[in-house]
Amino acid sequence: MGFFERIGNLDRRWIFLLMGLAVAIPIIIIDVTGFIPPELPMPKAKSTFQTLDDLPAGSKVLLSWDFDPATEGELGPMANTFIRQCAQKGHKMYFMALVPVGAQMIRSTTSDVIGTYYPDLVYGEDWVDLGYKAGNEAVVKTLVTDFNQMFPSDARGEPLSTIPMMSGIKDLTAFDAIVSVTAGYPGCKEWVLFASTPLKIPTVVGCTGVIAPQMYPYYPQQIQGLLQAIKGAAEYELLVNDWVRRDQFRNTLLAMGVEVSGEDSMGDLPSTSEELDAWAGDHVGKGLTEAQATEVRGFASEKKAELVAPVDAPEPGLFLEAQKRMGPQLSAHILMLVLIVLGNLTYFVTRRRGGGR
Amino acid sequence: MKRTVPLIITATVGLLLIVANFVPALSELSEDGTTFFSIIAAIAFVLGGGSLLKVHLKKLSDRDRGWAYSLIVLGSFFVTLVVGLFKIGAPPNPAYPDKPWAGGYNEPGTFFNWIYEYLFYPLTATMFAMLAFYIASAAFRAFRAKNFEAILLLGTAFIILLGQTAAGPALTNWIPPDGPFAGLRLEELSAYVMDVFNTAGSRAIVIGIALGIASTSLKILMGLDRSYLGGGN
Amino acid sequence: MSRQAIGVTVVLSILAALIVARSLIGDGSGRVYTRTVTTEMVEVRLPASDPAAVDEEQARQGQVVTEEAWVPVDSEEAKKYASEGAATISWTSRKNVPYSQVRASPDDEGISFSWSQTLGIWLAALLTLAIFSFLYKDNPIYKTAESLVVGVSAAYWMVVGFWDIIIPNLIGRLAPAFVEANFTPGLTDLEPQWRYLIPAIFGVLLLMRLAPKGQWLSLWTLAFIVGTTAALRMVAYIEGDFITQINATIEPLYQVVRNADGTTDGYATLWASIRQLILVVGVLSCLTYFFFSLEHKGAVGKVARVGIWFLMITFGAAFGMTVMGRITLLAARFEFLFDDWLWIIDPNKQREVASVISMITG
């Protein structure tokens, strides 16, 4: 039996095993070496970030977690990052779900991100968990005109009338943006058709690879941002992680009495006190005044250390999940390509020899 | 009675909801309609559980092949149902600790949450993860470049599979990003395929489905399509 | 057993042996530690946040209006307002503690080994492997896991539907006083809303499907569901998917891209125009392919064929994206096995010293 005949008769369990190894080995390598595959943010991830970044702090953002454990591996990381961006920016977050297990997803993502990294946010004032409601598009349709009818209470059984951040929210028009993280039906499509299109509310969508191609026609008219599968999540994660560092640096400076003006004037962040001096010099006229730069250069060494310490601090593992998962993605994609090529070669060679099936 | 009443209900509810889009005075009625729908959808979960019960109880009583698995289905069903409905292990609601039933049914610490975390979650997540293996096997056995259409499909899949990972930039890094051929870099090419070709195809599908849904809906509301009432009289 | 099957069995046995070995060496694996936290609440009379709502008469006379509330025993409010012998309620809950902390403070008595969660992790891992075992071949272990999924998820959805919708949205409307007294304290609107009998009746009719007689009555509810869905979708799909999508396609073919100084960027304009042209041609040709009222012959046939090409590219893209999704899900499962169960990897730096050292020294 020739090579191709043998390959053609390969037990499929060998292929399963190869796939398993292609995914498993990079996970271990990435954890041991700390290597993270490079990512290049593409326009859709950038516009997703921008849509939420353009809203002034304190804007009301509705986050609908329309996914369950079956797709948590793909969508969990972007859900976490959405919360991180909104929390860091100071938006008011309203969580809800159109799928039954979405309620658990809200619970786990909020406790992971808000509970661990933004413990100062107050439930009921900065974020609220409205939980799950059945009825798919009927839920969205009801919310368009009346919020209280669908949600008499939040997921914890608190009547909405007793929750401070719910006052003034009569219907969906009260929101400044909608974020839908979606695994299928119901999800982003229902939000787009029943809420964003008629009400013209800025909407960003994070979805699985399976439904991402179907969401492309809505961009940029009906949705303003689109994260497709783990790749979109990784790009968005990278953008938000970078921005959070800059924002924290800016806030620390502000707490020390130096207000950086302008939007995008942080440049490369300094990670040592010498770099900080140079940074201050470089930014005169680009966010800092001469006097401010002198003030920064004159900081005591402890103060400088406090300022530059977070710049090089390792990113929490929670906010690297998507980027790390691009590692197994790479090896598994290559395996897929090899399998397709081998399969075709086998097919054509054996057919030519008259043994095609 | 068996067929007329449902037709009247469908037509009335449908007409009301459509007209309410244009007559603000009817919006409250329409809200009631969609809210009732939500409640009925929740009751449908009970129907789902009930049907499951019926099927597996019958299997059990008939001692059908694999009745032991029906026993597992029923056992796990009842345990989950009881611990969930009775909020077993639920901590009190901090704002109203004197009301024992005000705590959350799926708070950490409840038995229901334990079942979710260690049974429901790993089982459903792994079920879906299995598809990665089958898709690999299918790629090996089924994707044949037999004709031009199949070559287009495979070629696109290649570009996407490479362009969406670090392999794309690594393979085509030699193409200058600012030059006239920057669009041939794999990551750009894959984005272009998604943005233009995929958008065109998906958009046509979306438009087609919209027309299909609109016509089916009209037929249902006008009583021309009665398939949902089942066959016979 | 064929030679290939023997080969696969050997490889799998090696993997299984490695897993068993891993759980026996070093610090072991799959363990969860928790810290017991006690919450103690005391009942106090606080000045009302909205006095008029509590007692309008007293509020008008300018008297201090108070209302009952539960606050943590160690809070400022408790110190200020709690009276002697006020009712208190306390309960304990458990918070997870990372293993590095357990190792760092072995004498901390507040930390204890959590049997329930450790068993849970092992159960979850074994169930994950049970499902994977189907890849080798169909077997009773897989079937058991599959039956568990069916039973647990049906009950799960019922419980969620009951507590998240039926109680607040239905019973809460029909018997608000009862719901306020038991499940959702603090509800203010305590008047029953009898129109909610309609979904209740429809719900009962739907459940008639399970009854031995009168199953046809469930068709009434089905009619309501179908009518609502049809009406909602018809309008939304026409607006969002039909009109808006056509609107988004019908853009000028000549797309001008301007430089910062207002002049036309010829190169970019050319590409943007080509892009728009492909988009329009693609949508129209695919629609032609979907149009079955005309026979696909001659010019129509040629255009329809172009449509097929576009659809093939679309499906190819969909295939690529689907592969991506599925692989991620598998990666997430492996991460669970390696991190929570086997302690081979440590992405959240919970065991820093422990796992690395134990891996090296064994």
Side-chain angles (χ1 to χ4, degrees), chain B residues 23-39:
Chain B
V23 184
L26 288 177
S27 82
E28 239 173 76
L29 266 181
S30 137
E31 271 163 36
D32 279 344
T34 47
T35 317
F36 295 171
F37 183 92
S38 160
I39 294 169

Side-chain angles (χ1 to χ4, degrees), chain A residues 91-266:
Chain A
H91 292 326
K92 304 242 174 266
M93 292 172 276
Y94 300 77
F95 293 94
M96 60 168 286
L98 293 179
V99 297
V101 201
Q104 289 279 9
M105 297 290 116
I106 298 175
R107 216 172 258 280
S108 59
T109 51
T110 50
S111 98
D112 284 351
V113 182
I114 299 178
T116 313
Y117 299 98
Y118 297 92
D120 295 342
L121 297 187
V122 181
Y123 183 84
E125 288 173 27
D126 301 302
W127 68 284
V128 64
D129 174 5
L130 298 169
Y132 160 71
K133 289 295 168 198
N136 312 332
E137 56 264 55
V139 176
V140 182
K141 181 73 182 165
T142 315
L143 297 183
V144 167
T145 46
D146 194 344
F147 222 83
N148 282 314
Q149 188 152 5
M150 194 47 84
F151 289 107
S153 58
D154 70 354
R156 301 177 174 188
E158 287 284 320
L160 287 203
S161 53
T162 62
I163 298 172
M165 67 191 285
M166 291 309 297
S167 71
I169 297 213
K170 289 198 174 59
D171 52 43
L172 272 185
T173 53
F175 291 96
D176 302 296
I178 296 172
V179 177
S180 171
V181 179
T182 295
Y185 172 80
C188 50
K189 178 132 183 164
E190 281 58 47
W191 283 108
V192 170
L193 291 185
F194 291 88
S196 345
T197 308
L199 299 179
K200 311 258 181 300
I201 302 174
T203 301
V204 294
V205 165
C207 60
T208 57
V210 179
I211 54 169
Q214 303 159 32
M215 293 312 291
Y216 268 71
Y218 300 111
Y219 178 87
Q221 285 86 0
Q222 286 151 289
I223 53 176
Q224 283 65 45
L226 175 63
L227 302 178
Q228 81 284 39
I230 200 70
K231 162 86 171 151
E235 292 171 7
Y236 177 59
E237 202 177 72
L238 189 73
L239 284 170
V240 171
N241 288 354
D242 183 58
W243 169 76
V244 166
R245 247 163 233 258
R246 286 163 196 284
D247 200 54
Q248 282 169 347
F249 184 76
R250 185 190 288 263
N251 290 343
T252 321
L253 262 182
L254 186 64
M256 293 175 176
V258 177
E259 188 178 359
V260 184
S261 64
E263 277 302 308
D264 188 21
S265 53
M266 310 304 284

